[in-house]
Coordinates of all heavy atoms in Angstrom, one line a residue:
D1972 N -28.5 -71.5 7.8 CA -29.4 -71.8 6.6 C -30.0 -73.2 6.7 O -29.3 -74.2 6.4 CB -28.4 -71.8 5.4 CG -29.1 -71.9 4.1 OD1 -30.2 -72.3 4.0 OD2 -28.6 -71.4 3.0
L1973 N -31.1 -73.3 7.2 CA -31.8 -74.6 7.6 C -32.1 -75.3 6.3 O -32.0 -76.5 6.2 CB -33.0 -74.3 8.4 CG -32.8 -73.8 9.8 CD1 -34.1 -73.6 10.5 CD2 -32.0 -74.8 10.6
A1975 N -30.4 -75.4 3.5 CA -29.2 -76.0 3.0 C -28.9 -77.1 3.9 O -28.4 -78.3 3.5 CB -28.1 -75.1 3.0
A1976 N -29.1 -77.1 5.2 CA -28.8 -78.1 6.2 C -29.8 -79.3 5.9 O -29.3 -80.6 5.9 CB -29.0 -77.8 7.6
R1977 N -31.0 -79.0 5.6 CA -31.9 -80.2 5.3 C -31.6 -80.7 3.9 O -31.8 -82.1 3.8 CB -33.3 -79.5 5.0 CG -34.0 -79.1 6.4 CD -35.5 -78.7 6.2 NE -36.0 -78.1 7.5 CZ -36.2 -76.8 7.7 NH1 -35.9 -76.0 6.9 NH2 -36.7 -76.6 8.9
E1978 N -31.1 -80.1 2.9 CA -30.7 -80.7 1.7 C -29.4 -81.7 2.0 O -29.4 -82.7 1.4 CB -30.3 -79.5 0.6 CG -31.4 -78.8 0.2 CD -30.9 -77.7 -0.9 OE1 -29.9 -77.8 -1.3 OE2 -31.8 -76.9 -1.3
A1980 N -28.7 -83.2 4.9 CA -29.4 -84.3 5.5 C -30.0 -85.3 4.6 O -29.8 -86.5 4.8 CB -30.3 -83.8 6.6
A1981 N -30.8 -84.7 3.6 CA -31.5 -85.6 2.7 C -30.6 -86.3 1.9 O -30.9 -87.5 1.5 CB -32.5 -84.9 1.9
V1990 N -30.6 -90.8 12.6 CA -29.2 -90.9 13.2 C -29.2 -91.4 14.7 O -30.2 -91.0 15.4 CB -28.5 -89.5 13.1 CG1 -27.1 -89.5 13.7 CG2 -28.5 -89.1 11.6
G1994 N -31.4 -88.4 17.5 CA -31.7 -87.2 16.6 C -32.0 -87.5 15.3 O -31.9 -88.7 14.9
S1995 N -32.4 -86.6 14.6 CA -32.8 -86.8 13.1 C -31.5 -86.5 12.3 O -30.5 -86.2 12.8 CB -33.9 -85.9 12.6 OG -33.5 -84.6 12.8
D1996 N -31.6 -86.6 11.0 CA -30.6 -86.4 10.1 C -30.2 -85.0 10.2 O -29.0 -84.5 10.1 CB -31.0 -86.8 8.7 CG -31.0 -88.3 8.5 OD1 -30.2 -89.1 9.1 OD2 -32.0 -88.8 7.9
L1997 N -31.2 -84.1 10.3 CA -30.9 -82.7 10.5 C -30.1 -82.4 11.8 O -29.2 -81.6 11.7 CB -32.2 -81.9 10.5 CG -32.1 -80.3 10.7 CD1 -31.2 -79.8 9.6 CD2 -33.5 -79.7 10.9
H1998 N -30.4 -83.2 12.8 CA -29.6 -83.0 14.0 C -28.1 -83.2 13.7 O -27.2 -82.6 14.2 CB -30.1 -84.0 15.2 CG -31.4 -83.5 15.8 ND1 -31.8 -83.9 17.0 CD2 -32.5 -82.8 15.1 CE1 -33.0 -83.4 17.2 NE2 -33.5 -82.7 16.1
A1999 N -28.0 -84.4 13.0 CA -26.4 -84.7 12.7 C -25.7 -83.7 11.9 O -24.6 -83.4 12.2 CB -26.6 -86.2 11.9
V2000 N -26.4 -83.1 11.0 CA -25.8 -82.1 10.1 C -25.4 -80.9 11.0 O -24.4 -80.3 11.0 CB -26.8 -81.7 9.0 CG1 -26.2 -80.4 8.3 CG2 -26.8 -82.8 8.1
L2001 N -26.5 -80.4 11.9 CA -26.1 -79.3 12.7 C -25.0 -79.5 13.7 O -24.3 -78.7 14.1 CB -27.5 -78.9 13.4 CG -28.6 -78.3 12.5 CD1 -29.8 -78.1 13.3 CD2 -28.1 -77.0 11.8
R2002 N -25.1 -80.8 14.3 CA -23.9 -81.1 15.3 C -22.6 -81.0 14.6 O -21.7 -80.5 15.1 CB -24.3 -82.5 15.8 CG -25.0 -82.5 17.1 CD -24.9 -84.0 17.7 NE -25.2 -85.1 16.9 CZ -26.5 -85.6 16.7 NH1 -27.5 -85.0 17.5 NH2 -26.6 -86.6 16.0
F2022 N -32.5 -78.1 18.5 CA -32.5 -78.7 17.2 C -34.0 -79.0 16.7 O -34.4 -78.8 15.6 CB -31.7 -79.9 17.1 CG -30.1 -79.6 17.2 CD1 -29.3 -80.7 17.2 CD2 -29.6 -78.4 16.9 CE1 -27.9 -80.4 17.3 CE2 -28.2 -78.2 16.9 CZ -27.4 -79.1 17.2
L2025 N -35.7 -75.8 15.8 CA -35.3 -75.3 14.5 C -35.9 -76.2 13.3 O -36.2 -75.6 12.4 CB -33.7 -75.3 14.5 CG -33.0 -74.4 15.4 CD1 -31.5 -74.5 15.2 CD2 -33.4 -72.9 15.0
A2026 N -35.9 -77.5 13.7 CA -36.6 -78.3 12.6 C -38.0 -77.8 12.3 O -38.5 -78.1 11.2 CB -36.5 -79.8 12.9
E2027 N -38.7 -77.3 13.3 CA -40.1 -77.0 13.2 C -40.2 -75.4 12.8 O -41.2 -74.9 12.6 CB -40.8 -77.1 14.5 CG -40.9 -78.5 14.9 CD -41.4 -78.7 16.4 OE1 -41.7 -77.7 17.0 OE2 -41.6 -79.8 16.9

Side-chain angles (χ1 to χ4, degrees):
D1972 191 340
L1973 293 177
R1977 289 189 182 98
E1978 290 180 8
V1990 176
S1995 67
D1996 295 314
L1997 178 62
H1998 287 211
V2000 172
L2001 292 175
R2002 270 198 302 271
F2022 288 167
L2025 292 181
E2027 298 169 358

